[in-house]
Amino acid sequence: MSDRYIDFANSSIGQRLVGALGLPSPVRLERWQAGRLRPVEGPLLIGGGELAGQVNRFASKLTDAVFSYGPGSFNATSWIPGQGPKLKAVVFDASALLHTDQLKQLREFFQPLLRSLERNAHLVVLGRPPETLSDPFAASAQRALEGFSRSLAKELRNGSTLQLLYVGEGAEDQLEGALRFFLSPKSAYVSGQVLRLNACASQVQDWSRPLAGRKALVTGAARGIGASIAETLVRDGAHVTLLDVPAARNDLEALAARLDGRFITLDICAENAPAQLIEQLPDGLDILVHNAGITRDKTLANMTPEFWDAVLAVNLNAPQVLTKALLDSGTLRDDARVILLASISGIAGNRGQTNYAASKAGLIGLAQAWAPLLGERGISINAVAPGFIETQMTAHIPFALREAGRRMSSLGQGGLPQDVAEAVAWLGQPGSGAISGQALRVCGQSILGA
Ligand SMILES: NC(=O)c1ccc[n+]([C@@H]2O[C@H](COP(=O)([O-])OP(=O)(O)OC[C@H]3O[C@@H](n4cnc5c(N)ncnc54)[C@H](O)[C@@H]3O)[C@@H](O)[C@H]2O)c1
């Protein structure tokens, strides 16, 4: 469903009216277009500590305009506030800020550049995981980065985003993959997020096809977010099997033909679903995306046992049972990537969704609990938690609630299925084994549960 308010707010008459009335003025977000090569099209500014130098080493692969600014020095053109070009991307390494006094460097670095950002600029702060630092003051200073980053993300305008990445010892060589996602339009609808990168032995070989040679399964792939995930995985080089209920066969078959993939019609809750799946995936699996999900909303006072059971069965029990069966049978290969579609309802809670929110929170818990065990085989497992995404699911929400869902975020609009798909595709990359047991929100920094 299209968001007519964004069209209006970006028209010439709308811009004047919206400004005069003080209404929200969301900008149209820039998305990744097929065929694009460079993650950053415009000036990239790098500053801060030792990790900034490491970023500088591969920065010319991200963009052809690299600048440096602030403490720490490396070989790049200096950016001068008020004189330098407008910035499309910024990376600041704050890992050397180990005392309260040093935190002022955050203000000193960011303040002069905030009025020099292009539309849809992407900013990243780097730090070290506070829990790995033995000095309590140092750990506290690194933890302070979280409050700073989430707040600055809320202050950015014109579709710009900001994230904080805590880089563990040995994870420095995975920064390129993370920045290719977070500095590019692939992360258009992700903001205010905090992720931890850990050491990972696998690397992407070819950045134009980071999933080349990988076999993927996407459940609930006939439409909406699932269909977009399948398309994006194929764009990135994966071979995809699409799964959906038998009633969705026509859509599934058409999409599979277009993507040169295979399809399976199966109810993931069927008793024989694990056996069927194992049989139909004889070549094994590198990427498993549990996207199929349903809502049956009622306040708990009115919740029927059927509504409760159906949501828990599809959204939580099936991903648990199927993943275990695929693991035990060896279908899910070493170094595989498992991605679970959760929801910000599972983080913030939502009136009328006790069943749905329980199922989605359960998925986040599943990723957390399973990550250390699966890590022994190089397998990562993460949750992606979408906020308000424009699909058939959200088109059925009553008008006022739908408008509230769209506007109550830093980016002031709903996301597109592509936004969720880009996050899934990134987490599916070989190098994204650096992230496991975590939940990545794709919600435009929704104020729900933020
Ligand atoms: N749309 C949003 O705003 C939003 C927000 C947060 C989370 N999500 C989650 O993202 C995922 C996709 O959402 P969507 O909006 O594209 O939903 P959708 O309803 O458009 O698509 C879901 C697909 O899952 C399939 N499916 C349902 N039950 C199944 C079963 N038992 N076996 C096999 N397939 C089954 C459906 O047939 C459908 O094709 C869901 O897990 C949803 O909970 C969506």
Side-chain angles (χ1 to χ4, degrees):
M1 163 168 273
S2 76
D3 182 345
R4 295 212 185 102
Y5 180 78
I6 292 200
D7 296 338
F8 171 70
N10 285 283
S11 66
S12 54
I13 182 163
Q15 269 176 354
R16 268 179 274 148
L17 205 60
V18 159
L21 297 175
L23 294 170
S25 52
V27 301
R28 215 169 274 118
L29 300 181
E30 181 190 2
R31 261 85 185 194
W32 184 270
Q33 303 289 331
R36 178 176 167 152
L37 293 174
R38 296 249 180 189
V40 182
E41 282 180 356
L44 161 64
L45 180 69
I46 307 172
E50 180 198 339
L51 291 173
Q54 307 219 17
V55 173
N56 186 48
R57 266 183 237 147
F58 59 79
S60 62
K61 292 201 270 169
L62 305 181
T63 178
D64 48 16
V66 183
F67 293 84
S68 72
Y69 173 61
S73 62
F74 46 85
N75 193 14
T77 312
S78 287
W79 185 82
I80 301 164
Q83 294 176 31
K86 288 211 161 202
L87 302 168
K88 194 68 187 176
V90 178
V91 177
F92 180 66
D93 173 26
S95 63
L97 310 187
L98 300 176
H99 196 276
T100 308
D101 279 351
Q102 296 172 318
L103 290 172
K104 63 162 86 77
Q105 289 180 33
L106 293 166
R107 190 188 59 76
E108 290 164 357
F109 180 85
F110 281 102
Q111 200 177 56
L113 62 82
L114 289 175
R115 290 196 172 83
S116 298
L117 295 177
E118 279 189 22
R119 278 189 163 216
N120 295 296
H122 299 293
L123 286 62
V124 169
V125 177
L126 303 176
R128 291 292 189 191
E131 62 277 11
T132 62
L133 301 174
S134 53
D135 173 2
F137 288 5
S140 156
Q142 287 296 296
R143 182 66 172 75
L145 300 180
E146 205 171 312
F148 172 83
S149 301
R150 291 189 197 274
S151 300
L152 183 54
K154 291 186 174 180
E155 293 178 13
L156 294 176
R157 295 281 170 269
N158 295 322
S160 294
T161 66
L162 184 145
Q163 339 286 337
L164 168 62
L165 299 180
Y166 283 124
V167 185
E169 287 300 330
E172 295 80 2
D173 60 348
Q174 296 299 346
L175 266 172
E176 181 176 350
L179 293 181
R180 279 177 176 271
F181 177 67
F182 284 118
L183 296 182
S184 82
K186 289 184 177 177
S187 61
Y189 198 58
V190 181
S191 196
Q193 296 306 292
V194 180
L195 279 189
R196 283 164 168 74
L197 301 185
N198 295 302
C200 167
S202 308
Q203 298 283 354
V204 168
Q205 301 302 327
D206 171 3
W207 287 112
S208 66
R209 287 168 58 81
L211 303 180
R214 302 232 131 193
K215 293 193 164 47
L217 173 72
V218 183
T219 70
R223 65 179 200 198
I225 293 171
S228 187
I229 292 171
E231 289 188 34
T232 308
L233 296 180
V234 169
R235 177 201 70 189
D236 284 353
H239 189 270
V240 174
T241 301
L242 302 95
L243 180 151
D244 213 301
V245 289
R249 187 189 179 97
N250 288 348
D251 287 342
L252 202 59
E253 199 169 358
L255 185 60
R258 187 154 65 77
L259 299 180
D260 199 17
R262 296 177 52 232
F263 71 94
I264 301 173
T265 52
L266 181 68
D267 178 341
I268 53 172
C269 300
E271 212 171 309
N272 66 349
Q276 286 249 2
L277 215 46
I278 292 164
E279 193 188 316
Q280 300 208 41
L281 296 167
D283 299 331
L285 211 53
D286 306 294
I287 302 170
L288 171 58
V289 185
H290 286 293
N291 163 79
I294 58 169
T295 49
R296 297 285 183 274
D297 295 355
K298 285 277 177 213
T299 57
L300 191 62
N302 298 317
M303 180 74 66
T304 63
E306 292 75 21
F307 271 24
W308 180 274
D309 291 348
V311 168
L312 271 294
V314 176
N315 295 5
L316 186 55
N317 193 57
Q320 290 174 344
V321 169
L322 293 179
T323 308
K324 182 155 184 351
L326 293 170
L327 274 167
D328 292 349
S329 63
T331 305
L332 204 56
R333 287 204 274 253
D334 287 357
D335 220 22
R337 306 277 167 259
V338 182
I339 299 129
L340 309 160
L341 265 290
S343 162
I344 58 166
S345 291
I347 296 170
N350 204 10
R351 190 184 141 79
Q353 290 200 315
T354 49
N355 52 353
Y356 183 76
S359 71
K360 297 300 191 181
L363 289 177
I364 294 171
L366 188 67
Q368 275 172 347
W370 230 337
L373 301 170
L374 300 189
E376 290 166 17
R377 288 181 51 191
I379 299 174
S380 68
I381 178 167
N382 291 289
V384 168
F388 185 100
I389 305 297
E390 307 281 354
T391 63
Q392 290 188 28
M393 197 183 249
T394 46
H396 291 121
I397 298 174
F399 174 76
L401 275 179
R402 196 166 66 226
E403 265 308 286
R406 281 173 173 151
R407 306 297 159 225
M408 288 195 317
S409 68
S410 297
L411 292 171
Q413 58 194 284
L416 300 181
Q418 182 191 349
D419 298 324
V420 182
E422 296 286 9
V424 170
W426 172 58
L427 288 171
Q429 291 181 3
S432 295
I435 301 117
S436 196
Q438 302 183 53
L440 173 60
R441 293 168 56 138
V442 181
C443 66
Q445 200 178 26
S446 167
I447 63 170
L448 298 180

